[in-house]
Short mmCIF file of all heavy atoms in Angstrom, two decimals:
data_model
loop_
_atom_site.label_atom_id
_atom_site.label_comp_id
_atom_site.label_asym_id
_atom_site.label_seq_id
_atom_site.Cartn_x
_atom_site.Cartn_y
_atom_site.Cartn_z
N LEU Z 1113 175.75 -212.11 31.46
CA LEU Z 1113 176.91 -212.83 32.04
C LEU Z 1113 177.94 -211.86 32.65
O LEU Z 1113 178.49 -212.16 33.77
CB LEU Z 1113 177.61 -213.60 30.92
CG LEU Z 1113 176.84 -214.81 30.40
CD1 LEU Z 1113 177.53 -215.43 29.22
CD2 LEU Z 1113 176.66 -215.87 31.51
N PHE Z 1114 178.09 -210.69 32.02
CA PHE Z 1114 179.03 -209.70 32.57
C PHE Z 1114 178.56 -209.21 33.90
O PHE Z 1114 179.28 -209.11 34.87
CB PHE Z 1114 179.18 -208.55 31.55
CG PHE Z 1114 180.03 -207.42 32.10
CD1 PHE Z 1114 181.46 -207.57 32.03
CD2 PHE Z 1114 179.51 -206.26 32.63
CE1 PHE Z 1114 182.28 -206.54 32.51
CE2 PHE Z 1114 180.27 -205.27 33.13
CZ PHE Z 1114 181.70 -205.39 33.04
N LEU Z 1115 177.25 -208.84 33.97
CA LEU Z 1115 176.61 -208.36 35.22
C LEU Z 1115 176.72 -209.40 36.34
O LEU Z 1115 177.10 -209.06 37.47
CB LEU Z 1115 175.19 -207.97 35.02
CG LEU Z 1115 174.95 -206.75 34.08
CD1 LEU Z 1115 173.45 -206.50 33.88
CD2 LEU Z 1115 175.60 -205.52 34.72
N LYS Z 1116 176.56 -210.63 36.04
CA LYS Z 1116 176.60 -211.69 36.99
C LYS Z 1116 178.00 -211.87 37.54
O LYS Z 1116 178.25 -212.12 38.74
CB LYS Z 1116 176.10 -213.04 36.41
CG LYS Z 1116 176.06 -214.15 37.50
CD LYS Z 1116 175.36 -215.41 36.95
CE LYS Z 1116 175.47 -216.56 37.90
NZ LYS Z 1116 174.96 -216.23 39.24
N SER Z 1117 178.98 -211.73 36.64
CA SER Z 1117 180.44 -211.84 37.11
C SER Z 1117 180.75 -210.77 38.13
O SER Z 1117 181.60 -211.03 39.00
CB SER Z 1117 181.34 -211.79 35.89
OG SER Z 1117 181.38 -210.52 35.32
N VAL Z 1118 180.13 -209.59 38.00
CA VAL Z 1118 180.36 -208.51 39.02
C VAL Z 1118 179.56 -208.79 40.31
O VAL Z 1118 180.13 -208.68 41.41
CB VAL Z 1118 179.93 -207.17 38.38
CG1 VAL Z 1118 180.11 -206.06 39.47
CG2 VAL Z 1118 180.73 -206.84 37.14
N VAL Z 1119 178.32 -209.10 40.18
CA VAL Z 1119 177.42 -209.35 41.31
C VAL Z 1119 177.97 -210.41 42.23
O VAL Z 1119 177.91 -210.35 43.48
CB VAL Z 1119 175.99 -209.55 40.90
CG1 VAL Z 1119 175.09 -209.96 42.08
CG2 VAL Z 1119 175.46 -208.33 40.24
N ASP Z 1120 178.45 -211.49 41.62
CA ASP Z 1120 178.89 -212.63 42.36
C ASP Z 1120 180.03 -212.33 43.31
O ASP Z 1120 180.28 -212.99 44.39
CB ASP Z 1120 179.37 -213.79 41.45
CG ASP Z 1120 178.17 -214.51 40.78
OD1 ASP Z 1120 177.01 -214.33 41.25
OD2 ASP Z 1120 178.38 -215.28 39.87
N LEU Z 1121 180.82 -211.32 43.02
CA LEU Z 1121 181.95 -210.91 43.87
C LEU Z 1121 181.51 -210.32 45.17
O LEU Z 1121 182.31 -210.12 46.09
CB LEU Z 1121 182.86 -209.97 43.12
CG LEU Z 1121 183.58 -210.55 41.90
CD1 LEU Z 1121 184.43 -209.45 41.23
CD2 LEU Z 1121 184.44 -211.75 42.25
N MET Z 1122 180.24 -209.94 45.27
CA MET Z 1122 179.72 -209.25 46.51
C MET Z 1122 179.85 -210.21 47.73
O MET Z 1122 179.87 -209.70 48.86
CB MET Z 1122 178.23 -208.85 46.29
CG MET Z 1122 178.12 -207.68 45.37
SD MET Z 1122 176.38 -207.35 44.93
CE MET Z 1122 175.53 -207.71 46.41
N VAL Z 1123 179.82 -211.55 47.50
CA VAL Z 1123 179.88 -212.43 48.64
C VAL Z 1123 181.23 -213.18 48.70
O VAL Z 1123 181.32 -214.18 49.42
CB VAL Z 1123 178.70 -213.43 48.61
CG1 VAL Z 1123 177.37 -212.69 48.84
CG2 VAL Z 1123 178.62 -214.20 47.28
N TRP Z 1124 182.15 -212.68 48.00
CA TRP Z 1124 183.47 -213.31 48.00
C TRP Z 1124 184.12 -213.01 49.37
O TRP Z 1124 184.00 -211.92 49.91
CB TRP Z 1124 184.38 -212.77 46.89
CG TRP Z 1124 185.57 -213.63 46.59
CD1 TRP Z 1124 186.84 -213.42 47.03
CD2 TRP Z 1124 185.60 -214.81 45.85
NE1 TRP Z 1124 187.72 -214.41 46.59
CE2 TRP Z 1124 186.97 -215.31 45.85
CE3 TRP Z 1124 184.64 -215.57 45.19
CZ2 TRP Z 1124 187.33 -216.44 45.25
CZ3 TRP Z 1124 185.05 -216.76 44.54
CH2 TRP Z 1124 186.41 -217.19 44.54
N PRO Z 1125 184.83 -214.02 49.98
CA PRO Z 1125 185.40 -213.81 51.33
C PRO Z 1125 186.56 -212.85 51.38
O PRO Z 1125 187.65 -213.21 51.82
CB PRO Z 1125 185.72 -215.20 51.80
CG PRO Z 1125 186.01 -215.93 50.50
CD PRO Z 1125 185.07 -215.40 49.50
N ASP Z 1126 186.36 -211.61 50.92
CA ASP Z 1126 187.38 -210.58 51.08
C ASP Z 1126 186.61 -209.25 51.11
O ASP Z 1126 185.96 -208.88 50.13
CB ASP Z 1126 188.33 -210.62 49.81
CG ASP Z 1126 189.37 -209.52 49.86
OD1 ASP Z 1126 190.42 -209.78 50.46
OD2 ASP Z 1126 189.13 -208.46 49.32
N LEU Z 1127 186.76 -208.59 52.23
CA LEU Z 1127 185.95 -207.32 52.46
C LEU Z 1127 186.29 -206.25 51.46
O LEU Z 1127 185.35 -205.54 51.01
CB LEU Z 1127 186.16 -206.84 53.87
CG LEU Z 1127 185.08 -205.96 54.48
CD1 LEU Z 1127 183.75 -206.56 54.35
CD2 LEU Z 1127 185.42 -205.62 55.94
N ASP Z 1128 187.51 -206.12 51.09
CA ASP Z 1128 187.89 -205.07 50.16
C ASP Z 1128 187.24 -205.42 48.75
O ASP Z 1128 186.74 -204.46 48.11
CB ASP Z 1128 189.41 -205.04 49.98
CG ASP Z 1128 189.92 -203.89 49.18
OD1 ASP Z 1128 189.15 -202.88 48.98
OD2 ASP Z 1128 191.03 -203.92 48.65
N LEU Z 1129 187.29 -206.65 48.34
CA LEU Z 1129 186.72 -207.00 47.05
C LEU Z 1129 185.15 -206.83 47.13
O LEU Z 1129 184.61 -206.40 46.16
CB LEU Z 1129 187.04 -208.48 46.77
CG LEU Z 1129 186.53 -209.04 45.42
CD1 LEU Z 1129 187.11 -208.17 44.29
CD2 LEU Z 1129 186.89 -210.49 45.22
N GLN Z 1130 184.58 -207.16 48.25
CA GLN Z 1130 183.12 -206.98 48.40
C GLN Z 1130 182.74 -205.51 48.24
O GLN Z 1130 181.76 -205.15 47.54
CB GLN Z 1130 182.66 -207.43 49.80
CG GLN Z 1130 182.64 -208.94 49.96
CD GLN Z 1130 182.14 -209.37 51.30
OE1 GLN Z 1130 181.97 -208.56 52.22
NE2 GLN Z 1130 181.88 -210.64 51.48
N GLU Z 1131 183.53 -204.59 48.87
CA GLU Z 1131 183.24 -203.19 48.79
C GLU Z 1131 183.36 -202.68 47.38
O GLU Z 1131 182.46 -201.95 46.87
CB GLU Z 1131 184.19 -202.42 49.69
CG GLU Z 1131 183.94 -200.94 49.66
CD GLU Z 1131 184.94 -200.14 50.49
OE1 GLU Z 1131 186.11 -200.63 50.56
OE2 GLU Z 1131 184.57 -199.08 51.06
N LYS Z 1132 184.40 -203.13 46.70
CA LYS Z 1132 184.60 -202.68 45.30
C LYS Z 1132 183.46 -203.22 44.37
O LYS Z 1132 183.04 -202.53 43.42
CB LYS Z 1132 185.96 -203.09 44.81
CG LYS Z 1132 187.11 -202.29 45.37
CD LYS Z 1132 188.43 -202.75 44.87
CE LYS Z 1132 189.58 -201.82 45.30
NZ LYS Z 1132 189.76 -201.56 46.74
N ALA Z 1133 183.07 -204.46 44.65
CA ALA Z 1133 181.96 -205.03 43.86
C ALA Z 1133 180.66 -204.25 44.08
O ALA Z 1133 179.87 -203.99 43.14
CB ALA Z 1133 181.80 -206.53 44.18
N LEU Z 1134 180.40 -203.85 45.36
CA LEU Z 1134 179.21 -203.12 45.70
C LEU Z 1134 179.21 -201.77 44.98
O LEU Z 1134 178.18 -201.33 44.43
CB LEU Z 1134 179.14 -202.86 47.17
CG LEU Z 1134 178.37 -203.93 48.04
CD1 LEU Z 1134 178.57 -203.59 49.51
CD2 LEU Z 1134 176.91 -203.94 47.66
N LEU Z 1135 180.34 -201.10 44.96
CA LEU Z 1135 180.48 -199.83 44.29
C LEU Z 1135 180.22 -199.94 42.74
O LEU Z 1135 179.55 -199.12 42.18
CB LEU Z 1135 181.83 -199.21 44.52
CG LEU Z 1135 182.10 -198.67 45.93
CD1 LEU Z 1135 183.59 -198.41 46.09
CD2 LEU Z 1135 181.30 -197.48 46.22
N ALA Z 1136 180.71 -201.02 42.24
CA ALA Z 1136 180.48 -201.31 40.78
C ALA Z 1136 179.03 -201.58 40.54
O ALA Z 1136 178.43 -201.01 39.58
CB ALA Z 1136 181.33 -202.47 40.31
N VAL Z 1137 178.36 -202.39 41.34
CA VAL Z 1137 176.92 -202.72 41.20
C VAL Z 1137 176.09 -201.42 41.39
O VAL Z 1137 175.14 -201.19 40.58
CB VAL Z 1137 176.50 -203.78 42.18
CG1 VAL Z 1137 174.96 -203.92 42.20
CG2 VAL Z 1137 177.16 -205.09 41.89
N LYS Z 1138 176.49 -200.56 42.30
CA LYS Z 1138 175.78 -199.30 42.53
C LYS Z 1138 175.77 -198.50 41.22
O LYS Z 1138 174.72 -197.96 40.81
CB LYS Z 1138 176.45 -198.59 43.62
CG LYS Z 1138 175.83 -197.21 43.86
CD LYS Z 1138 176.64 -196.46 44.97
CE LYS Z 1138 176.18 -195.02 45.16
NZ LYS Z 1138 176.89 -194.30 46.23
#
Side-chain angles (χ1 to χ4, degrees):
L1113 291 173
F1114 177 80
L1115 293 175
K1116 182 171 173 55
S1117 70
V1118 178
V1119 172
D1120 285 347
L1121 295 179
M1122 288 170 38
V1123 292
W1124 197 260
D1126 179 88
L1127 200 53
D1128 188 21
L1129 184 58
Q1130 287 182 350
E1131 181 184 32
K1132 287 179 171 58
L1134 270 174
L1135 288 169
V1137 170
K1138 176 183 173 181

